[in-house]
mmCIF file of all heavy atoms in Angstrom:
data_model
loop_
_atom_site.group_PDB
_atom_site.id
_atom_site.type_symbol
_atom_site.label_atom_id
_atom_site.label_comp_id
_atom_site.label_asym_id
_atom_site.label_seq_id
_atom_site.Cartn_x
_atom_site.Cartn_y
_atom_site.Cartn_z
ATOM 1 N N MET P 1009 -54.514 -63.494 -8.646
ATOM 2 C CA MET P 1009 -54.832 -62.098 -8.828
ATOM 3 C C MET P 1009 -54.706 -61.335 -7.506
ATOM 4 O O MET P 1009 -54.462 -60.151 -7.504
ATOM 5 C CB MET P 1009 -56.239 -61.984 -9.407
ATOM 6 C CG MET P 1009 -56.525 -60.638 -9.972
ATOM 7 S SD MET P 1009 -55.362 -60.158 -11.246
ATOM 8 C CE MET P 1009 -56.409 -59.381 -12.386
ATOM 9 N N LYS P 1010 -54.872 -62.009 -6.392
ATOM 10 C CA LYS P 1010 -54.752 -61.359 -5.088
ATOM 11 C C LYS P 1010 -53.356 -60.771 -4.890
ATOM 12 O O LYS P 1010 -53.215 -59.701 -4.329
ATOM 13 C CB LYS P 1010 -55.063 -62.338 -3.956
ATOM 14 C CG LYS P 1010 -56.531 -62.593 -3.780
ATOM 15 C CD LYS P 1010 -57.172 -61.401 -3.125
ATOM 16 C CE LYS P 1010 -58.580 -61.738 -2.711
ATOM 17 N NZ LYS P 1010 -59.292 -60.585 -2.230
ATOM 18 N N GLU P 1011 -52.313 -61.483 -5.342
ATOM 19 C CA GLU P 1011 -50.949 -60.969 -5.204
ATOM 20 C C GLU P 1011 -50.775 -59.691 -6.010
ATOM 21 O O GLU P 1011 -50.162 -58.730 -5.532
ATOM 22 C CB GLU P 1011 -49.933 -62.012 -5.661
ATOM 23 C CG GLU P 1011 -49.797 -63.187 -4.726
ATOM 24 C CD GLU P 1011 -48.825 -64.218 -5.267
ATOM 25 O OE1 GLU P 1011 -47.909 -63.855 -6.016
ATOM 26 O OE2 GLU P 1011 -49.007 -65.393 -4.923
ATOM 27 N N CYS P 1012 -51.321 -59.658 -7.210
ATOM 28 C CA CYS P 1012 -51.238 -58.477 -8.061
ATOM 29 C C CYS P 1012 -51.946 -57.302 -7.396
ATOM 30 O O CYS P 1012 -51.417 -56.186 -7.342
ATOM 31 C CB CYS P 1012 -51.842 -58.780 -9.425
ATOM 32 S SG CYS P 1012 -51.832 -57.383 -10.556
ATOM 33 N N GLU P 1013 -53.140 -57.537 -6.873
ATOM 34 C CA GLU P 1013 -53.900 -56.476 -6.220
ATOM 35 C C GLU P 1013 -53.172 -55.959 -4.985
ATOM 36 O O GLU P 1013 -53.082 -54.748 -4.767
ATOM 37 C CB GLU P 1013 -55.287 -56.979 -5.823
ATOM 38 C CG GLU P 1013 -56.136 -55.916 -5.168
ATOM 39 C CD GLU P 1013 -57.513 -56.417 -4.771
ATOM 40 O OE1 GLU P 1013 -57.981 -57.413 -5.344
ATOM 41 O OE2 GLU P 1013 -58.114 -55.797 -3.880
ATOM 42 N N ALA P 1014 -52.619 -56.863 -4.201
ATOM 43 C CA ALA P 1014 -51.898 -56.463 -2.992
ATOM 44 C C ALA P 1014 -50.672 -55.621 -3.345
ATOM 45 O O ALA P 1014 -50.405 -54.606 -2.699
ATOM 46 C CB ALA P 1014 -51.489 -57.692 -2.188
ATOM 47 N N GLU P 1015 -49.945 -56.019 -4.351
ATOM 48 C CA GLU P 1015 -48.759 -55.269 -4.768
ATOM 49 C C GLU P 1015 -49.153 -53.905 -5.326
ATOM 50 O O GLU P 1015 -48.526 -52.893 -5.024
ATOM 51 C CB GLU P 1015 -47.964 -56.056 -5.808
ATOM 52 C CG GLU P 1015 -46.718 -55.353 -6.299
ATOM 53 C CD GLU P 1015 -45.675 -55.098 -5.219
ATOM 54 O OE1 GLU P 1015 -45.742 -55.687 -4.120
ATOM 55 O OE2 GLU P 1015 -44.777 -54.264 -5.472
ATOM 56 N N PHE P 1016 -50.204 -53.876 -6.122
ATOM 57 C CA PHE P 1016 -50.665 -52.604 -6.680
ATOM 58 C C PHE P 1016 -51.102 -51.654 -5.565
ATOM 59 O O PHE P 1016 -50.785 -50.472 -5.581
ATOM 60 C CB PHE P 1016 -51.801 -52.830 -7.672
ATOM 61 C CG PHE P 1016 -52.243 -51.552 -8.331
ATOM 62 C CD1 PHE P 1016 -51.489 -50.979 -9.334
ATOM 63 C CD2 PHE P 1016 -53.396 -50.914 -7.918
ATOM 64 C CE1 PHE P 1016 -51.880 -49.787 -9.923
ATOM 65 C CE2 PHE P 1016 -53.794 -49.725 -8.497
ATOM 66 C CZ PHE P 1016 -53.034 -49.155 -9.510
ATOM 67 N N ARG P 1017 -51.824 -52.169 -4.579
ATOM 68 C CA ARG P 1017 -52.257 -51.334 -3.459
ATOM 69 C C ARG P 1017 -51.050 -50.781 -2.699
ATOM 70 O O ARG P 1017 -51.035 -49.611 -2.309
ATOM 71 C CB ARG P 1017 -53.157 -52.120 -2.501
ATOM 72 C CG ARG P 1017 -54.548 -52.307 -3.013
ATOM 73 C CD ARG P 1017 -55.400 -53.042 -1.982
ATOM 74 N NE ARG P 1017 -56.700 -53.318 -2.492
ATOM 75 C CZ ARG P 1017 -57.720 -52.454 -2.484
ATOM 76 N NH1 ARG P 1017 -57.538 -51.264 -1.982
ATOM 77 N NH2 ARG P 1017 -58.885 -52.798 -2.975
ATOM 78 N N ARG P 1018 -50.043 -51.610 -2.494
ATOM 79 C CA ARG P 1018 -48.840 -51.173 -1.790
ATOM 80 C C ARG P 1018 -48.167 -50.028 -2.547
ATOM 81 O O ARG P 1018 -47.823 -49.000 -1.963
ATOM 82 C CB ARG P 1018 -47.867 -52.343 -1.628
ATOM 83 C CG ARG P 1018 -46.650 -52.010 -0.774
ATOM 84 C CD ARG P 1018 -45.622 -53.137 -0.777
ATOM 85 N NE ARG P 1018 -44.986 -53.298 -2.069
ATOM 86 C CZ ARG P 1018 -44.056 -52.473 -2.572
ATOM 87 N NH1 ARG P 1018 -43.665 -51.421 -1.902
ATOM 88 N NH2 ARG P 1018 -43.516 -52.708 -3.752
ATOM 89 N N VAL P 1019 -48.016 -50.193 -3.844
ATOM 90 C CA VAL P 1019 -47.376 -49.163 -4.665
ATOM 91 C C VAL P 1019 -48.243 -47.908 -4.722
ATOM 92 O O VAL P 1019 -47.740 -46.784 -4.633
ATOM 93 C CB VAL P 1019 -47.076 -49.705 -6.079
ATOM 94 C CG1 VAL P 1019 -46.607 -48.607 -7.006
ATOM 95 C CG2 VAL P 1019 -46.045 -50.828 -6.009
ATOM 96 N N LEU P 1020 -49.545 -48.077 -4.849
ATOM 97 C CA LEU P 1020 -50.460 -46.935 -4.907
ATOM 98 C C LEU P 1020 -50.405 -46.132 -3.607
ATOM 99 O O LEU P 1020 -50.376 -44.890 -3.630
ATOM 100 C CB LEU P 1020 -51.879 -47.417 -5.187
ATOM 101 C CG LEU P 1020 -52.910 -46.352 -5.511
ATOM 102 C CD1 LEU P 1020 -52.505 -45.545 -6.736
ATOM 103 C CD2 LEU P 1020 -54.258 -47.013 -5.747
ATOM 104 N N GLU P 1021 -50.368 -46.807 -2.476
ATOM 105 C CA GLU P 1021 -50.251 -46.111 -1.192
ATOM 106 C C GLU P 1021 -48.947 -45.327 -1.118
ATOM 107 O O GLU P 1021 -48.909 -44.209 -0.595
ATOM 108 C CB GLU P 1021 -50.355 -47.108 -0.038
ATOM 109 C CG GLU P 1021 -51.756 -47.655 0.146
ATOM 110 C CD GLU P 1021 -51.830 -48.801 1.136
ATOM 111 O OE1 GLU P 1021 -50.799 -49.146 1.769
ATOM 112 O OE2 GLU P 1021 -52.929 -49.368 1.285
ATOM 113 N N LEU P 1022 -47.883 -45.884 -1.662
ATOM 114 C CA LEU P 1022 -46.603 -45.186 -1.699
ATOM 115 C C LEU P 1022 -46.682 -43.941 -2.577
ATOM 116 O O LEU P 1022 -46.195 -42.874 -2.205
ATOM 117 C CB LEU P 1022 -45.514 -46.132 -2.208
ATOM 118 C CG LEU P 1022 -44.099 -45.590 -2.245
ATOM 119 C CD1 LEU P 1022 -43.623 -45.175 -0.863
ATOM 120 C CD2 LEU P 1022 -43.174 -46.635 -2.842
ATOM 121 N N VAL P 1023 -47.319 -44.059 -3.729
ATOM 122 C CA VAL P 1023 -47.500 -42.909 -4.624
ATOM 123 C C VAL P 1023 -48.283 -41.814 -3.907
ATOM 124 O O VAL P 1023 -47.902 -40.635 -3.933
ATOM 125 C CB VAL P 1023 -48.198 -43.324 -5.933
ATOM 126 C CG1 VAL P 1023 -48.632 -42.107 -6.736
ATOM 127 C CG2 VAL P 1023 -47.290 -44.211 -6.767
ATOM 128 N N PHE P 1024 -49.384 -42.191 -3.258
ATOM 129 C CA PHE P 1024 -50.189 -41.216 -2.530
ATOM 130 C C PHE P 1024 -49.379 -40.538 -1.437
ATOM 131 O O PHE P 1024 -49.388 -39.310 -1.313
ATOM 132 C CB PHE P 1024 -51.438 -41.870 -1.917
ATOM 133 C CG PHE P 1024 -52.629 -41.835 -2.814
ATOM 134 C CD1 PHE P 1024 -52.954 -42.936 -3.592
ATOM 135 C CD2 PHE P 1024 -53.435 -40.715 -2.880
ATOM 136 C CE1 PHE P 1024 -54.058 -42.917 -4.423
ATOM 137 C CE2 PHE P 1024 -54.545 -40.681 -3.712
ATOM 138 C CZ PHE P 1024 -54.850 -41.785 -4.490
ATOM 139 N N SER P 1025 -48.675 -41.314 -0.637
ATOM 140 C CA SER P 1025 -47.944 -40.712 0.480
ATOM 141 C C SER P 1025 -46.845 -39.777 -0.014
ATOM 142 O O SER P 1025 -46.646 -38.697 0.554
ATOM 143 C CB SER P 1025 -47.379 -41.784 1.419
ATOM 144 O OG SER P 1025 -46.403 -42.564 0.771
ATOM 145 N N ARG P 1026 -46.153 -40.153 -1.084
ATOM 146 C CA ARG P 1026 -45.104 -39.287 -1.622
ATOM 147 C C ARG P 1026 -45.684 -38.018 -2.243
ATOM 148 O O ARG P 1026 -45.123 -36.940 -2.076
ATOM 149 C CB ARG P 1026 -44.267 -40.042 -2.650
ATOM 150 C CG ARG P 1026 -43.363 -41.059 -2.018
ATOM 151 C CD ARG P 1026 -42.484 -41.710 -3.044
ATOM 152 N NE ARG P 1026 -41.565 -42.639 -2.413
ATOM 153 C CZ ARG P 1026 -40.655 -43.322 -3.064
ATOM 154 N NH1 ARG P 1026 -40.529 -43.197 -4.371
ATOM 155 N NH2 ARG P 1026 -39.850 -44.152 -2.423
ATOM 156 N N ALA P 1027 -46.791 -38.153 -2.947
ATOM 157 C CA ALA P 1027 -47.405 -36.986 -3.580
ATOM 158 C C ALA P 1027 -47.938 -36.016 -2.529
ATOM 159 O O ALA P 1027 -47.761 -34.801 -2.646
ATOM 160 C CB ALA P 1027 -48.522 -37.424 -4.530
ATOM 161 N N VAL P 1028 -48.580 -36.542 -1.497
ATOM 162 C CA VAL P 1028 -49.099 -35.691 -0.432
ATOM 163 C C VAL P 1028 -47.937 -35.022 0.309
ATOM 164 O O VAL P 1028 -47.989 -33.830 0.626
ATOM 165 C CB VAL P 1028 -50.010 -36.496 0.524
ATOM 166 C CG1 VAL P 1028 -50.352 -35.698 1.777
ATOM 167 C CG2 VAL P 1028 -51.288 -36.916 -0.205
ATOM 168 N N ALA P 1029 -46.866 -35.751 0.552
ATOM 169 C CA ALA P 1029 -45.690 -35.176 1.205
ATOM 170 C C ALA P 1029 -45.063 -34.068 0.362
ATOM 171 O O ALA P 1029 -44.466 -33.132 0.900
ATOM 172 C CB ALA P 1029 -44.662 -36.266 1.493
ATOM 173 N N ALA P 1030 -45.229 -34.156 -0.957
ATOM 174 C CA ALA P 1030 -44.688 -33.141 -1.858
ATOM 175 C C ALA P 1030 -45.622 -31.935 -1.986
ATOM 176 O O ALA P 1030 -45.298 -30.979 -2.682
ATOM 177 C CB ALA P 1030 -44.426 -33.749 -3.231
ATOM 178 N N GLY P 1031 -46.783 -31.996 -1.320
ATOM 179 C CA GLY P 1031 -47.675 -30.851 -1.304
ATOM 180 C C GLY P 1031 -48.948 -30.986 -2.118
ATOM 181 O O GLY P 1031 -49.761 -30.066 -2.155
ATOM 182 N N TRP P 1032 -49.148 -32.107 -2.772
ATOM 183 C CA TRP P 1032 -50.377 -32.312 -3.546
ATOM 184 C C TRP P 1032 -51.497 -32.728 -2.616
ATOM 185 O O TRP P 1032 -51.283 -33.413 -1.621
ATOM 186 C CB TRP P 1032 -50.152 -33.401 -4.594
ATOM 187 C CG TRP P 1032 -49.211 -32.987 -5.658
ATOM 188 C CD1 TRP P 1032 -47.842 -33.093 -5.619
ATOM 189 C CD2 TRP P 1032 -49.532 -32.381 -6.899
ATOM 190 N NE1 TRP P 1032 -47.310 -32.596 -6.767
ATOM 191 C CE2 TRP P 1032 -48.324 -32.146 -7.581
ATOM 192 C CE3 TRP P 1032 -50.728 -32.013 -7.499
ATOM 193 C CZ2 TRP P 1032 -48.277 -31.569 -8.832
ATOM 194 C CZ3 TRP P 1032 -50.671 -31.438 -8.756
ATOM 195 C CH2 TRP P 1032 -49.471 -31.220 -9.401
ATOM 196 N N ARG P 1033 -52.700 -32.323 -2.932
ATOM 197 C CA ARG P 1033 -53.868 -32.769 -2.167
ATOM 198 C C ARG P 1033 -54.244 -34.177 -2.622
ATOM 199 O O ARG P 1033 -54.125 -34.525 -3.791
ATOM 200 C CB ARG P 1033 -55.042 -31.821 -2.367
ATOM 201 C CG ARG P 1033 -54.862 -30.527 -1.582
ATOM 202 C CD ARG P 1033 -56.044 -29.652 -1.776
ATOM 203 N NE ARG P 1033 -55.862 -29.064 -3.108
ATOM 204 C CZ ARG P 1033 -56.247 -27.860 -3.478
ATOM 205 N NH1 ARG P 1033 -56.906 -27.111 -2.673
ATOM 206 N NH2 ARG P 1033 -56.010 -27.404 -4.670
ATOM 207 N N GLU P 1034 -54.703 -34.966 -1.675
ATOM 208 C CA GLU P 1034 -55.046 -36.364 -1.958
ATOM 209 C C GLU P 1034 -56.063 -36.481 -3.088
ATOM 210 O O GLU P 1034 -55.955 -37.356 -3.946
ATOM 211 C CB GLU P 1034 -55.565 -37.026 -0.684
ATOM 212 C CG GLU P 1034 -55.562 -38.526 -0.744
ATOM 213 C CD GLU P 1034 -55.834 -39.152 0.602
ATOM 214 O OE1 GLU P 1034 -56.344 -38.471 1.516
ATOM 215 O OE2 GLU P 1034 -55.552 -40.344 0.728
ATOM 216 N N LYS P 1035 -57.051 -35.577 -3.108
ATOM 217 C CA LYS P 1035 -58.069 -35.615 -4.155
ATOM 218 C C LYS P 1035 -57.441 -35.375 -5.531
ATOM 219 O O LYS P 1035 -57.795 -36.032 -6.504
ATOM 220 C CB LYS P 1035 -59.149 -34.566 -3.887
ATOM 221 C CG LYS P 1035 -60.322 -34.652 -4.848
ATOM 222 C CD LYS P 1035 -61.347 -33.562 -4.605
ATOM 223 C CE LYS P 1035 -62.152 -33.881 -3.379
ATOM 224 N NZ LYS P 1035 -63.284 -32.942 -3.181
ATOM 225 N N GLU P 1036 -56.486 -34.440 -5.606
ATOM 226 C CA GLU P 1036 -55.803 -34.167 -6.876
ATOM 227 C C GLU P 1036 -55.028 -35.392 -7.352
ATOM 228 O O GLU P 1036 -55.040 -35.730 -8.539
ATOM 229 C CB GLU P 1036 -54.825 -32.997 -6.726
ATOM 230 C CG GLU P 1036 -55.474 -31.664 -6.494
ATOM 231 C CD GLU P 1036 -54.454 -30.585 -6.193
ATOM 232 O OE1 GLU P 1036 -53.574 -30.798 -5.333
ATOM 233 O OE2 GLU P 1036 -54.554 -29.525 -6.826
ATOM 234 N N VAL P 1037 -54.373 -36.042 -6.422
ATOM 235 C CA VAL P 1037 -53.602 -37.242 -6.751
ATOM 236 C C VAL P 1037 -54.537 -38.334 -7.259
ATOM 237 O O VAL P 1037 -54.267 -38.967 -8.289
ATOM 238 C CB VAL P 1037 -52.796 -37.737 -5.527
ATOM 239 C CG1 VAL P 1037 -52.036 -39.008 -5.858
ATOM 240 C CG2 VAL P 1037 -51.837 -36.653 -5.039
ATOM 241 N N ALA P 1038 -55.651 -38.531 -6.572
ATOM 242 C CA ALA P 1038 -56.612 -39.560 -6.979
ATOM 243 C C ALA P 1038 -57.162 -39.281 -8.370
ATOM 244 O O ALA P 1038 -57.267 -40.200 -9.199
ATOM 245 C CB ALA P 1038 -57.745 -39.647 -5.962
ATOM 246 N N LEU P 1039 -57.494 -38.033 -8.650
ATOM 247 C CA LEU P 1039 -58.031 -37.691 -9.970
ATOM 248 C C LEU P 1039 -56.983 -37.889 -11.063
ATOM 249 O O LEU P 1039 -57.293 -38.374 -12.157
ATOM 250 C CB LEU P 1039 -58.555 -36.256 -9.982
ATOM 251 C CG LEU P 1039 -59.832 -36.032 -9.182
ATOM 252 C CD1 LEU P 1039 -60.144 -34.540 -9.085
ATOM 253 C CD2 LEU P 1039 -60.994 -36.782 -9.802
ATOM 254 N N GLN P 1040 -55.744 -37.535 -10.779
ATOM 255 C CA GLN P 1040 -54.685 -37.721 -11.765
ATOM 256 C C GLN P 1040 -54.461 -39.205 -12.047
ATOM 257 O O GLN P 1040 -54.305 -39.620 -13.197
ATOM 258 C CB GLN P 1040 -53.384 -37.077 -11.286
ATOM 259 C CG GLN P 1040 -52.283 -37.109 -12.315
ATOM 260 C CD GLN P 1040 -52.643 -36.335 -13.562
ATOM 261 O OE1 GLN P 1040 -52.999 -35.173 -13.505
ATOM 262 N NE2 GLN P 1040 -52.552 -36.971 -14.715
ATOM 263 N N ILE P 1041 -54.460 -40.012 -11.000
ATOM 264 C CA ILE P 1041 -54.289 -41.461 -11.177
ATOM 265 C C ILE P 1041 -55.447 -42.022 -11.991
ATOM 266 O O ILE P 1041 -55.244 -42.837 -12.900
ATOM 267 C CB ILE P 1041 -54.154 -42.169 -9.815
ATOM 268 C CG1 ILE P 1041 -52.793 -41.814 -9.195
ATOM 269 C CG2 ILE P 1041 -54.308 -43.679 -9.953
ATOM 270 C CD1 ILE P 1041 -52.639 -42.255 -7.763
ATOM 271 N N ALA P 1042 -56.662 -41.582 -11.688
ATOM 272 C CA ALA P 1042 -57.829 -42.055 -12.440
ATOM 273 C C ALA P 1042 -57.732 -41.657 -13.911
ATOM 274 O O ALA P 1042 -58.028 -42.473 -14.797
ATOM 275 C CB ALA P 1042 -59.110 -41.502 -11.822
ATOM 276 N N ASP P 1043 -57.310 -40.422 -14.186
ATOM 277 C CA ASP P 1043 -57.160 -39.975 -15.573
ATOM 278 C C ASP P 1043 -56.114 -40.805 -16.311
ATOM 279 O O ASP P 1043 -56.326 -41.232 -17.454
ATOM 280 C CB ASP P 1043 -56.764 -38.495 -15.636
ATOM 281 C CG ASP P 1043 -57.918 -37.565 -15.310
ATOM 282 O OD1 ASP P 1043 -59.083 -38.015 -15.307
ATOM 283 O OD2 ASP P 1043 -57.633 -36.372 -15.061
ATOM 284 N N LEU P 1044 -54.984 -41.030 -15.658
ATOM 285 C CA LEU P 1044 -53.929 -41.820 -16.293
ATOM 286 C C LEU P 1044 -54.365 -43.271 -16.513
ATOM 287 O O LEU P 1044 -54.056 -43.868 -17.554
ATOM 288 C CB LEU P 1044 -52.652 -41.771 -15.452
ATOM 289 C CG LEU P 1044 -51.955 -40.416 -15.411
ATOM 290 C CD1 LEU P 1044 -50.829 -40.424 -14.374
ATOM 291 C CD2 LEU P 1044 -51.416 -40.035 -16.778
ATOM 292 N N ALA P 1045 -55.088 -43.824 -15.548
ATOM 293 C CA ALA P 1045 -55.591 -45.196 -15.698
ATOM 294 C C ALA P 1045 -56.572 -45.279 -16.859
ATOM 295 O O ALA P 1045 -56.523 -46.233 -17.653
ATOM 296 C CB ALA P 1045 -56.251 -45.664 -14.398
ATOM 297 N N ASP P 1046 -57.430 -44.278 -16.991
ATOM 298 C CA ASP P 1046 -58.384 -44.236 -18.097
ATOM 299 C C ASP P 1046 -57.655 -44.185 -19.439
ATOM 300 O O ASP P 1046 -58.007 -44.920 -20.368
ATOM 301 C CB ASP P 1046 -59.313 -43.040 -17.940
ATOM 302 C CG ASP P 1046 -60.404 -43.011 -18.987
ATOM 303 O OD1 ASP P 1046 -61.124 -44.018 -19.116
ATOM 304 O OD2 ASP P 1046 -60.529 -41.972 -19.670
ATOM 305 N N GLU P 1047 -56.642 -43.335 -19.535
ATOM 306 C CA GLU P 1047 -55.857 -43.256 -20.765
ATOM 307 C C GLU P 1047 -55.211 -44.602 -21.095
ATOM 308 O O GLU P 1047 -55.189 -45.030 -22.250
ATOM 309 C CB GLU P 1047 -54.754 -42.206 -20.634
ATOM 310 C CG GLU P 1047 -55.243 -40.785 -20.680
ATOM 311 C CD GLU P 1047 -54.109 -39.785 -20.497
ATOM 312 O OE1 GLU P 1047 -52.924 -40.140 -20.731
ATOM 313 O OE2 GLU P 1047 -54.403 -38.648 -20.107
ATOM 314 N N TYR P 1048 -54.706 -45.274 -20.064
ATOM 315 C CA TYR P 1048 -54.039 -46.553 -20.288
ATOM 316 C C TYR P 1048 -55.032 -47.624 -20.731
ATOM 317 O O TYR P 1048 -54.743 -48.421 -21.632
ATOM 318 C CB TYR P 1048 -53.300 -46.993 -19.026
ATOM 319 C CG TYR P 1048 -52.346 -48.130 -19.296
ATOM 320 C CD1 TYR P 1048 -51.178 -47.913 -20.017
ATOM 321 C CD2 TYR P 1048 -52.615 -49.407 -18.850
ATOM 322 C CE1 TYR P 1048 -50.311 -48.952 -20.286
ATOM 323 C CE2 TYR P 1048 -51.749 -50.447 -19.113
ATOM 324 C CZ TYR P 1048 -50.590 -50.217 -19.829
ATOM 325 O OH TYR P 1048 -49.738 -51.257 -20.097
ATOM 326 N N VAL P 1049 -56.205 -47.632 -20.124
ATOM 327 C CA VAL P 1049 -57.239 -48.585 -20.527
ATOM 328 C C VAL P 1049 -57.630 -48.368 -21.988
ATOM 329 O O VAL P 1049 -57.782 -49.317 -22.760
ATOM 330 C CB VAL P 1049 -58.473 -48.495 -19.598
ATOM 331 C CG1 VAL P 1049 -59.655 -49.257 -20.162
ATOM 332 C CG2 VAL P 1049 -58.121 -49.005 -18.212
ATOM 333 N N MET P 1050 -57.775 -47.107 -22.383
ATOM 334 C CA MET P 1050 -58.111 -46.803 -23.779
ATOM 335 C C MET P 1050 -56.981 -47.251 -24.713
ATOM 336 O O MET P 1050 -57.231 -47.778 -25.797
ATOM 337 C CB MET P 1050 -58.393 -45.314 -23.955
ATOM 338 C CG MET P 1050 -59.657 -44.863 -23.231
ATOM 339 S SD MET P 1050 -61.128 -45.823 -23.668
ATOM 340 C CE MET P 1050 -61.324 -45.366 -25.370
ATOM 341 N N HIS P 1051 -55.748 -47.067 -24.282
ATOM 342 C CA HIS P 1051 -54.607 -47.538 -25.070
ATOM 343 C C HIS P 1051 -54.669 -49.059 -25.249
ATOM 344 O O HIS P 1051 -54.485 -49.572 -26.352
ATOM 345 C CB HIS P 1051 -53.293 -47.135 -24.385
ATOM 346 C CG HIS P 1051 -52.102 -47.872 -24.876
ATOM 347 N ND1 HIS P 1051 -51.513 -47.605 -26.101
ATOM 348 C CD2 HIS P 1051 -51.405 -48.892 -24.339
ATOM 349 C CE1 HIS P 1051 -50.493 -48.433 -26.275
ATOM 350 N NE2 HIS P 1051 -50.410 -49.214 -25.218
ATOM 351 N N LEU P 1052 -54.935 -49.767 -24.165
ATOM 352 C CA LEU P 1052 -55.017 -51.226 -24.240
ATOM 353 C C LEU P 1052 -56.169 -51.677 -25.133
ATOM 354 O O LEU P 1052 -56.051 -52.669 -25.853
ATOM 355 C CB LEU P 1052 -55.186 -51.826 -22.840
ATOM 356 C CG LEU P 1052 -53.991 -51.715 -21.913
ATOM 357 C CD1 LEU P 1052 -54.344 -52.268 -20.537
ATOM 358 C CD2 LEU P 1052 -52.777 -52.428 -22.486
ATOM 359 N N ALA P 1053 -57.267 -50.936 -25.088
ATOM 360 C CA ALA P 1053 -58.435 -51.303 -25.886
ATOM 361 C C ALA P 1053 -58.175 -51.164 -27.382
ATOM 362 O O ALA P 1053 -58.783 -51.866 -28.189
ATOM 363 C CB ALA P 1053 -59.630 -50.443 -25.484
ATOM 364 N N THR P 1054 -57.272 -50.270 -27.751
ATOM 365 C CA THR P 1054 -57.007 -50.037 -29.173
ATOM 366 C C THR P 1054 -55.717 -50.697 -29.657
ATOM 367 O O THR P 1054 -55.461 -50.720 -30.855
ATOM 368 C CB THR P 1054 -56.935 -48.526 -29.470
ATOM 369 O OG1 THR P 1054 -55.896 -47.941 -28.696
ATOM 370 C CG2 THR P 1054 -58.263 -47.849 -29.148
ATOM 371 N N ALA P 1055 -54.922 -51.226 -28.742
ATOM 372 C CA ALA P 1055 -53.658 -51.870 -29.116
ATOM 373 C C ALA P 1055 -53.917 -53.280 -29.640
ATOM 374 O O ALA P 1055 -54.904 -53.924 -29.259
ATOM 375 C CB ALA P 1055 -52.732 -51.928 -27.907
ATOM 376 N N PRO P 1056 -53.041 -53.757 -30.518
ATOM 377 C CA PRO P 1056 -53.186 -55.150 -30.979
ATOM 378 C C PRO P 1056 -53.117 -56.111 -29.785
ATOM 379 O O PRO P 1056 -52.369 -55.879 -28.848
ATOM 380 C CB PRO P 1056 -51.978 -55.350 -31.892
ATOM 381 C CG PRO P 1056 -51.464 -53.992 -32.206
ATOM 382 C CD PRO P 1056 -51.897 -53.094 -31.090
ATOM 383 N N GLN P 1057 -53.922 -57.155 -29.843
ATOM 384 C CA GLN P 1057 -53.948 -58.118 -28.744
ATOM 385 C C GLN P 1057 -52.669 -58.901 -28.692
ATOM 386 O O GLN P 1057 -52.096 -59.285 -29.709
ATOM 387 C CB GLN P 1057 -55.127 -59.053 -28.908
ATOM 388 C CG GLN P 1057 -56.446 -58.359 -28.733
ATOM 389 C CD GLN P 1057 -57.379 -59.170 -27.879
ATOM 390 O OE1 GLN P 1057 -57.263 -60.382 -27.804
ATOM 391 N NE2 GLN P 1057 -58.302 -58.518 -27.235
ATOM 392 N N GLN P 1058 -52.212 -59.165 -27.447
ATOM 393 C CA GLN P 1058 -51.036 -59.992 -27.217
ATOM 394 C C GLN P 1058 -51.462 -61.222 -26.436
ATOM 395 O O GLN P 1058 -52.447 -61.170 -25.705
ATOM 396 C CB GLN P 1058 -49.986 -59.207 -26.455
ATOM 397 C CG GLN P 1058 -49.469 -58.009 -27.222
ATOM 398 C CD GLN P 1058 -48.345 -57.315 -26.490
ATOM 399 O OE1 GLN P 1058 -47.864 -57.780 -25.489
ATOM 400 N NE2 GLN P 1058 -47.915 -56.202 -27.037
ATOM 401 N N PRO P 1059 -50.730 -62.309 -26.566
ATOM 402 C CA PRO P 1059 -51.112 -63.514 -25.827
ATOM 403 C C PRO P 1059 -51.044 -63.278 -24.318
ATOM 404 O O PRO P 1059 -50.238 -62.485 -23.844
ATOM 405 C CB PRO P 1059 -50.079 -64.553 -26.262
ATOM 406 C CG PRO P 1059 -49.019 -63.825 -26.992
ATOM 407 C CD PRO P 1059 -49.548 -62.491 -27.369
ATOM 408 N N ALA P 1060 -51.918 -63.950 -23.582
ATOM 409 C CA ALA P 1060 -51.942 -63.825 -22.123
ATOM 410 C C ALA P 1060 -50.709 -64.482 -21.503
ATOM 411 O O ALA P 1060 -50.149 -65.431 -22.071
ATOM 412 C CB ALA P 1060 -53.208 -64.481 -21.574
ATOM 413 N N ASN P 1061 -50.328 -63.998 -20.337
ATOM 414 C CA ASN P 1061 -49.225 -64.650 -19.619
ATOM 415 C C ASN P 1061 -49.806 -65.608 -18.591
ATOM 416 O O ASN P 1061 -51.015 -65.747 -18.459
ATOM 417 C CB ASN P 1061 -48.278 -63.616 -18.983
ATOM 418 C CG ASN P 1061 -48.990 -62.686 -18.031
ATOM 419 O OD1 ASN P 1061 -50.004 -63.052 -17.455
ATOM 420 N ND2 ASN P 1061 -48.459 -61.501 -17.862
ATOM 421 N N ASP P 1062 -48.938 -66.254 -17.852
ATOM 422 C CA ASP P 1062 -49.377 -67.312 -16.929
ATOM 423 C C ASP P 1062 -49.587 -66.858 -15.490
ATOM 424 O O ASP P 1062 -49.822 -67.675 -14.629
ATOM 425 C CB ASP P 1062 -48.365 -68.470 -16.927
ATOM 426 C CG ASP P 1062 -48.384 -69.224 -18.237
ATOM 427 O OD1 ASP P 1062 -49.397 -69.153 -18.961
ATOM 428 O OD2 ASP P 1062 -47.373 -69.884 -18.548
ATOM 429 N N ASN P 1063 -49.497 -65.539 -15.181
ATOM 430 C CA ASN P 1063 -49.632 -65.185 -13.771
ATOM 431 C C ASN P 1063 -51.018 -64.896 -13.429
ATOM 432 O O ASN P 1063 -51.983 -64.772 -13.593
ATOM 433 C CB ASN P 1063 -48.755 -64.041 -13.303
ATOM 434 C CG ASN P 1063 -48.403 -63.012 -14.328
ATOM 435 O OD1 ASN P 1063 -48.398 -63.287 -15.497
ATOM 436 N ND2 ASN P 1063 -48.076 -61.837 -13.884
#
């Protein structure tokens, strides 16, 4: 799980830096990411279960 977290952090930092460079405030970016993550979690909670993978 550490590899997944490290990769996610790397990508998230890239998203933040690109969004801020495009003129968005960091707080706005964080709130948007949180909203999208919440929507995705709700989607997963209501979607049919799929078998787990091996990573």
Side-chain angles (χ1 to χ4, degrees):
M1009 196 57 140
K1010 283 285 190 187
E1011 289 177 28
C1012 179
E1013 181 180 338
E1015 180 63 15
F1016 184 76
R1017 284 183 184 277
R1018 186 187 68 74
V1019 172
L1020 190 59
E1021 289 171 4
L1022 183 60
V1023 169
F1024 269 97
S1025 65
R1026 287 184 177 182
V1028 169
W1032 292 86
R1033 284 182 283 213
E1034 197 169 17
K1035 187 183 285 187
E1036 292 173 311
V1037 178
L1039 289 171
Q1040 186 62 54
I1041 289 170
D1043 286 345
L1044 291 171
D1046 185 54
E1047 287 178 21
Y1048 193 71
V1049 168
M1050 293 306 294
H1051 164 75
L1052 291 176
T1054 60
Q1057 293 224 334
Q1058 297 185 7
N1061 58 27
D1062 291 338
N1063 29 335

